[in-house]
Amino acid sequence: MSTAADIRNQRVYLTPGVTHRYRQRTLTQVEAMALLKYHDAFAGRDVLDLGVGTGRSSIYLAPLARRYEAIDYSPEMVAAMHATMPALSVRLGDMRDLADFPDASFDFVFGPNNVIDAVGSEGRQRSVGEVSRVLRLGGIFMFSSHNLGSGDAFAAPRLEWSPNPCNLLEHLIEWAWQLANHRRMRPQCEMHEDYALLDDYGHNFTLLHFYAAQKYERNQLEASGFETIEVLDRTGRAVSVDDAAPASPDLMYVARRI
C-alpha cells in the first residue's frame, strides 16, 4: 500500500530529467573513510548497491567487487546507468522487495545518500528485512540515514545572501519557491518520539524523508538480525549511542548480519 511519502517521492524521482540533479562523481568524506576502513568487507566479494542513481558509488565499488549488482526504482536512473556504464549489472528494483536475489547472496550491501529514508516507516522496515535476507552471515550493511538529532532536522528554508544583485534575485526566487513548497508539505509531515517524516532541502522541500534517532535505528537493525558495529558522523568521527551528533545532518551506520 502506497503512503503519502511513497506517492510524493516517486512523483519526484520518476520525473523526466531527474538525473541532471545527480551528476556528482565523488564520494563524501564519511563514505570514503568508511569504505576505506571496511575495504575487506567488499573487495573481492559480492556487492549490492541500493539506489544507485547515476553511478556515483559504482565507479568505486564495481572494480573491486567479485560480483556487483545495483538497483534503483527510477527508470530514468537505470536508463542513465545503462547508457553510461553498460558493462555493469544494473536493474530496475525496489529495496523493499529484493525478490530478484536469493537468500544469502551478498557479502556487502551499500545504501548511500540516505536512500533508505525515501520510504515511510513500514517500507523502511521491509527494506532492512530484505537486506538482512540477502546478506550472508557476517555480511556488512553500510548505509546513511537522516539524523533526527541534527540541528537542521526541522529547519525551514533559509535565504542565501549575496552582494551580487543578480545572484541575490535568483536566491530570492528560489527561497520563495522553497517556502511555498515547505508550507504545502508541512501537513504531510509526521512527528514521533524517535523518528519523523519531514520535508527538507532535498529537491527544494518537495520530498518527505525519514529522520531517525540513533536509538530507533539501532533497534530496527537489531530486530532484523543485525548488530551495529559503529556509527559515524559526516566527518567520519565515531559517535556514541548517547551522542545526538547535532552538527551532522546524517549518520553512517555500519552493521553486521548475525
Side-chain angles (χ1 to χ4, degrees):
M1 179 179 179
S2 295
T3 65
D6 294 329
I7 296 170
R8 164 58 59 181
N9 295 349
Q10 287 181 12
R11 189 179 302 162
V12 173
Y13 287 124
L14 272 60
T15 301
V18 69
T19 55
H20 294 300
R21 299 182 65 97
Y22 296 89
R23 294 175 176 174
Q24 185 181 352
R25 282 292 182 263
T26 57
L27 296 174
T28 65
Q29 182 174 333
V30 65
E31 287 170 348
M33 293 176 69
L35 289 174
L36 182 62
K37 183 173 183 178
Y38 292 93
H39 171 271
D40 291 345
F42 64 86
R45 298 180 182 274
D46 298 334
V47 173
L48 174 61
D49 205 345
L50 303 176
V52 68
T54 58
R56 183 177 63 88
S57 52
S58 304
I59 58 178
Y60 299 94
L61 291 175
L64 297 175
R66 174 174 57 196
R67 168 184 167 227
Y68 176 83
E69 299 279 354
I71 66 167
D72 201 294
Y73 80 170
S74 168
E76 287 275 323
M77 301 292 191
V78 174
M81 286 293 293
H82 288 166
T84 59
M85 302 182 190
L88 297 185
S89 176
V90 182
R91 67 185 77 190
L92 191 66
D94 192 313
M95 61 186 174
R96 291 166 290 189
D97 182 5
L98 300 175
D100 285 351
F101 307 111
D103 295 357
S105 53
F106 294 100
D107 302 294
F108 186 84
V109 177
F110 194 45
N113 207 32
N114 304 325
V115 63
I116 196 171
D117 296 334
V119 295
S121 177
E122 292 183 8
R124 207 167 181 278
Q125 184 65 60
R126 289 200 301 273
S127 299
V128 175
E130 278 292 87
V131 170
S132 177
R133 181 184 65 77
V134 301
L135 266 177
R136 299 181 178 116
L137 290 179
I140 297 296
F141 182 25
M142 181 184 293
F143 66 98
S144 59
S145 175
H146 290 97
N147 177 23
L148 187 63
S150 165
D152 289 335
F154 298 93
R158 293 186 290 265
L159 174 62
E160 183 180 349
W161 170 257
S162 173
N164 183 303
C166 293
N167 289 341
L168 181 58
L169 179 59
E170 290 181 3
H171 295 167
L172 280 167
I173 294 172
E174 182 178 45
W175 181 54
W177 181 40
Q178 291 177 344
L179 279 175
N181 289 338
H182 184 53
R183 292 193 183 105
R184 184 172 62 252
M185 296 291 289
R186 292 311 287 175
Q188 301 180 54
C189 294
E190 298 179 17
M191 314 295 176
H192 303 272
E193 182 180 357
D194 292 325
Y195 70 91
L197 197 61
L198 305 171
D199 65 319
D200 56 24
Y201 278 93
H203 287 263
N204 294 306
F205 291 85
T206 60
L207 296 172
L208 285 171
H209 280 145
F210 198 94
Y211 280 71
Q214 258 206 81
K215 177 182 176 182
Y216 179 94
E217 199 72 74
R218 288 172 178 266
N219 288 340
Q220 186 173 69
L221 287 167
E222 182 179 353
S224 294
F226 288 98
E227 64 172 349
T228 302
I229 301 174
E230 66 176 346
V231 181
L232 308 171
D233 69 11
R234 271 199 173 182
T235 68
R237 177 184 68 91
V239 297
S240 66
V241 178
D242 299 324
D243 187 352
S248 190
D250 41 59
L251 297 171
M252 178 71 77
Y253 292 82
V254 183
R256 179 185 290 113
R257 177 74 170 89
I258 59 174

